């Protein structure tokens, strides 16, 4: 379906943009093409947060780290407003189903999981230098592990890894694992709540969404483990 093609295309261009962050000098024309895909991993760049005073690596990281929290607050607010309106008017049509709202929020987390992992690990993606020091791949002015700027952001990076990568990853894995058990597939609420994990795949391979998550996770982890350009490019092509 068109939704599946859009999903595959989005992930492809997310990966293409991540390849741009490898420690390699690319031809100007090709580099600009990859830059055009940056919005796939950094939607907030559309709004130019630097113009609002959020320039600098620290401000940028914190702003992006709060995007999922902001989306969750929006979802909770919408649910609360719908509840108040339904109670006030007595009309059930204004009621917003919790399962559908959960599906919308979680599907965004799943679709942009690659961008979320990239954000969570950006603090640990470093480039080696001739002087033996490692600097951040996204900001060469920050020395990894030892500089005060890097250390001040360490707590944010750890929280992002624990909540966004491990938290959401384990949650999705658990849902896929319990889906065929205890008639969960036949439960209407379960179907609406977790539809995004299964609707793109046949029932016989209902777990294939885990392959998608694993691919995006290991793709980004490779850029943390490998600091040389050739190693990073080979890793991306392998994964």
């Amino acid at each position: 379906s068109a939704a599946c093609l859009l999903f595959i295309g989005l992930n492809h261009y997310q990966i293409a943009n991540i390849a741009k962050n490898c420690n390699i000098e690319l031809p100007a024309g090709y580099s600009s093409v990859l830059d055009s895909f940056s919005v796939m991993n950094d939607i907030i760049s559309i709004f130019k947060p630097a113009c609002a005073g959020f320039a600098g690596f620290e401000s940028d990281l914190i702003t992006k780290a709060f995007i999922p929290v902001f989306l969750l607050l929006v979802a909770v607010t919408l649910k609360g407003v719908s509840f108040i309106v339904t109670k006030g008017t007595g009309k059930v049509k204004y009621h917003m189903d919790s399962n559908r709202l959960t599906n919308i929020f979680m599907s965004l987390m799943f679709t942009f999981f690659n961008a979320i992992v990239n954000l969570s690990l950006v603090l640990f993606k470093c480039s080696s230098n001739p002087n033996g020091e490692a600097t951040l791949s996204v900001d060469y002015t920050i020395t990894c592990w030892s500089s005060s700027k890097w250390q001040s952001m360490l707590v944010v990076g750890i929280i992002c890894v624990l909540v966004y990568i491990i938290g959401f990853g384990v949650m999705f894995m658990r849902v896929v694992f319990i889906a065929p058990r205890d008639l969960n597939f036949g439960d209407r609420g379960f179907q609406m709540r977790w539809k995004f994990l299964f609707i793109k795949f046949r029932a016989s391979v209902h777990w294939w969404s885990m392959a998608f998550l694993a691919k995006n996770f290991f793709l980004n982890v490779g850029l943390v483990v490998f600091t040389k350009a050739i190693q990073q490019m080979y890793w991306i092509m392998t994964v």
Side-chain angles (χ1 to χ4, degrees):
S1 66
C4 292
L5 291 176
L6 181 63
F7 176 78
I8 294 172
L10 174 64
N11 186 241
H12 170 76
Y13 290 116
Q14 286 176 334
I15 295 173
N17 177 248
I18 285 180
K20 168 68 167 54
N21 295 328
C22 291
N23 307 325
I24 187 172
E25 288 293 330
L26 298 172
Y30 184 58
S31 179
S32 63
V33 170
L34 293 182
D35 282 337
S36 65
F37 301 140
S38 62
V39 68
M40 304 297 181
N41 286 321
D42 186 14
I43 294 181
I44 198 174
S45 62
I46 298 175
F47 304 102
K48 305 295 182 182
C51 297
F54 294 99
F57 175 74
E58 300 96 322
S59 299
D60 187 56
L61 178 61
I62 293 174
T63 302
K64 293 176 182 178
F66 270 98
I67 292 178
V69 178
F70 173 74
L71 293 176
L72 179 60
L73 290 176
V74 170
V76 172
T77 301
L78 289 174
K79 176 62 179 178
V81 170
S82 72
F83 176 80
I84 294 173
V85 173
T86 301
K87 287 293 184 180
T89 61
K91 296 181 179 180
V92 182
K93 67 178 182 179
Y94 295 124
H95 174 69
M96 186 170 288
D97 190 277
S98 298
N99 290 318
R100 293 190 184 278
L101 196 59
T102 300
N103 177 72
I104 294 172
F105 172 73
M106 289 298 180
S107 64
L108 288 173
M109 298 299 102
F110 177 77
T111 302
F112 291 96
F113 189 74
N114 188 38
I116 291 173
V117 176
N118 181 47
L119 165 69
S120 302
L121 296 178
V122 69
L123 193 66
F124 308 102
K125 294 181 179 179
C126 303
S127 305
S128 56
N129 294 283
N131 63 358
E133 296 286 349
T135 54
L136 277 183
S137 297
V138 296
D139 190 338
Y140 292 143
T141 65
I142 300 177
T143 304
C144 295
W145 314 111
S146 59
S147 69
S148 58
K149 281 188 177 181
W150 189 91
Q151 293 175 353
S152 67
M153 290 290 101
L154 183 58
V155 173
V156 177
I158 292 175
I159 292 175
C160 287
V161 170
L162 292 177
V163 177
Y164 296 149
I165 299 181
I166 299 177
F168 282 111
V170 170
M171 180 192 302
F172 293 149
M173 289 176 61
R174 179 182 179 276
V175 171
V176 171
F177 179 75
I178 67 172
R181 299 169 179 266
D182 302 324
L183 303 178
N184 284 320
F185 268 145
D187 180 76
R188 179 177 173 80
F190 187 90
Q191 291 177 358
M192 289 192 296
R193 189 162 57 251
W194 304 109
K195 178 176 69 173
F196 66 92
L197 284 174
F198 307 104
I199 195 171
K200 305 177 190 67
F201 314 107
R202 296 191 304 271
S204 59
V205 288
H206 69 278
W207 45 266
W208 193 249
S209 58
M210 292 300 96
F212 167 80
L213 294 180
K215 174 184 176 181
N216 288 289
F217 171 72
F218 287 112
L219 188 72
N220 282 278
V221 167
L223 301 186
V224 175
V225 176
F226 303 114
T227 59
K228 294 183 178 179
I230 189 64
Q231 295 172 335
Q232 294 176 335
M233 293 303 295
Y234 273 120
W235 176 260
I236 289 176
M237 289 187 291
T238 302
V239 175

